[in-house]
Amino acid sequence: MFTFIICFLAGIGAGLGTGFAGMSAAAVISPMLITFLHMEPYAAVGIALASDVLASAVSAYTYGKNKNLDVKNGLVMMVTVLCFTLVGSWVSSLVPASTMGGFSTWMTLLLGIKFIVKPVMTTKESMAAVDPKKRVIQSVLCGMLIGFICGFVGAGGGMMMLLILTSVLGYELKTAVGTSVFIMAFTAFTGAAGHFVIGGAPDPTVLVLCVLSTLLWARVAARFANKASPIVLNRATGVVLTVLGAAILLVNYLT
């Protein structure tokens, strides 16, 4: 029963973060499993990434159905991210477990505050004005960094992607989140596969519970986000990320 409660609560945070902001489920699930279920960090990251696959996929479908997904330009970044996710996953298996996670937690908190204080109000019209060649080059370079971070810490990739899509590539928020979860569905699958091949099969009960809970709440969040106005979505995203970031820091403090 305790395992069910922890997995369900972790899924709520991970699902809301994924549906609202394209956040990697690993940012929430990993510290929860490590702290309360005393799971080995590398295995916890693998389960978290596996939970991210379906949650990101269903979120991407919802955003795409509402025409808030840029598949064409997203594919360019995705290929680079996928390659460097494998590199990051391999490197993470060689370093101490304490190296994982801290970066993504602080980034989640700070990005949440940023959306509240300085909302992203870019329009789709201004997105179309960006030079396509410049965007391709930026996508490749940024994809290398994002992929490595995603594979290395099992988290942070979604936050980095959202920040880069809105601040560097000039996406409006809904399209940025939609494109982010589209890419994250593939990077999470690659990262999870890498972790399971290197670290072995995960605990099946914890895996199923985390996947189902994350999927449910990601679907709820994505449906709300696509119906919300830009300012409401900015504030909701900011609040969700800020609360999650603070909660994860608290959980890490307890360890």
Side-chain angles (χ1 to χ4, degrees):
M1 188 62 185
F2 181 71
T3 299
F4 172 81
I5 293 172
I6 294 301
C7 292
F8 185 72
L9 291 176
I12 292 176
L16 292 178
T18 299
F20 273 118
M23 184 176 116
S24 172
V28 178
I29 293 177
S30 297
M32 291 283 285
L33 297 183
I34 293 167
T35 303
F36 298 108
L37 299 184
H38 307 294
M39 185 171 289
E40 194 274 322
Y42 194 76
V45 171
I47 288 177
L49 285 170
S51 301
D52 211 0
V53 178
L54 287 178
S56 293
V58 75
S59 296
Y61 171 77
T62 303
Y63 278 92
K65 191 169 63 173
N66 288 275
K67 303 186 186 305
N68 293 315
L69 172 59
D70 184 359
V71 176
K72 181 179 178 181
N73 290 300
L75 285 172
V76 175
M77 183 180 288
M78 183 180 73
V79 172
T80 312
V81 170
L82 282 172
C83 293
F84 279 79
T85 297
L86 287 173
V87 175
S89 182
W90 174 73
V91 172
S92 72
S93 69
L94 307 177
V95 301
S98 59
T99 308
M100 300 179 178
F103 168 80
S104 62
T105 302
W106 282 105
M107 181 146 189
T108 300
L109 178 62
L110 295 176
L111 195 56
I113 295 172
K114 184 258 183 192
F115 279 122
I116 295 173
V117 176
K118 189 178 180 182
V120 177
M121 300 305 289
T122 310
T123 63
K124 289 188 178 181
E125 288 73 22
S126 61
M127 276 179 58
V130 178
D131 180 23
K133 292 183 180 179
K134 179 181 178 182
R135 178 167 287 167
V136 168
I137 295 173
Q138 290 175 326
S139 296
V140 171
L141 294 176
C142 294
M144 292 169 66
L145 177 63
I146 293 168
F148 183 83
I149 290 173
C150 180
F152 184 72
V153 301
M159 293 295 90
M160 285 288 290
M161 210 169 320
L162 183 62
L163 179 63
I164 287 170
L165 288 173
T166 54
S167 302
V168 179
L169 301 182
Y171 278 56
E172 60 93 24
L173 185 55
K174 289 184 182 180
T175 306
V177 176
T179 305
S180 177
V181 290
F182 170 72
I183 296 172
M184 286 302 294
F186 294 93
T187 59
F189 177 80
T190 306
H195 273 67
F196 293 155
V197 168
I198 295 171
D203 183 312
T205 301
V206 175
L207 175 63
V208 171
L209 289 175
C210 287
V211 168
L212 293 179
S213 181
T214 305
L215 177 62
L216 170 64
W217 290 100
R219 174 65 172 161
V220 171
R223 292 187 69 178
F224 173 84
N226 278 278
K227 294 178 181 178
S229 65
I231 189 66
V232 170
L233 180 57
N234 271 273
R235 288 173 179 167
T237 302
V239 169
V240 168
L241 293 181
T242 302
V243 171
L244 287 176
I248 296 165
L249 283 174
L250 179 61
V251 169
N252 287 334
Y253 177 76
L254 294 174
T255 58

